[in-house]
Amino acid sequence: AHAARGWSEEYLGRNDAAEAHYWRALTLDPNDRYALLGLARLYSASNRETQAAAVLRDALTRHPRERWFHDTLGTLAYRQGDLAGAE
């Protein structure tokens, strides 16, 4: 529920509230895919690429076969000009 609320807050432009809900969701379940993805997306959109990459690397250790995290990390690398990393 907290991850879903985070996504809602994020899409409403309330980034501080969204981040708080994502962290609450991860406190309750550190493996919550939706909270991990939302937090990484929020950080990336807020030009906090280092934090976004850290969240995505953590997510990939928890969910190595989850396509969302690979795609998002590739997009982040592409935006930073790391074409080999993006591939």
Side-chain angles (χ1 to χ4, degrees):
H2 286 285
R5 179 77 186 266
W7 281 44
S8 296
E9 296 291 351
E10 181 183 349
Y11 286 115
L12 290 172
R14 300 178 198 151
N15 292 347
D16 290 338
E19 185 176 4
H21 283 291
Y22 292 143
W23 280 114
R24 179 67 176 145
L26 291 170
T27 299
L28 296 170
D29 179 6
N31 295 315
D32 187 321
R33 289 176 171 92
Y34 296 103
L36 289 164
L37 181 62
L39 189 60
R41 186 183 56 235
L42 179 70
Y43 285 161
S44 180
S46 301
N47 295 320
R48 296 161 67 181
E49 288 88 3
T50 303
Q51 290 172 293
V55 169
L56 289 166
R57 283 191 296 273
D58 177 53
L60 283 168
T61 62
R62 297 171 188 279
H63 307 285
R65 299 181 69 184
E66 184 60 65
R67 182 190 60 83
W68 283 349
F69 302 126
H70 289 283
D71 288 350
T72 306
L73 191 57
T75 300
L76 183 61
Y78 177 80
R79 287 181 36 201
Q80 293 176 326
D82 178 9
L83 301 182
E87 186 178 338

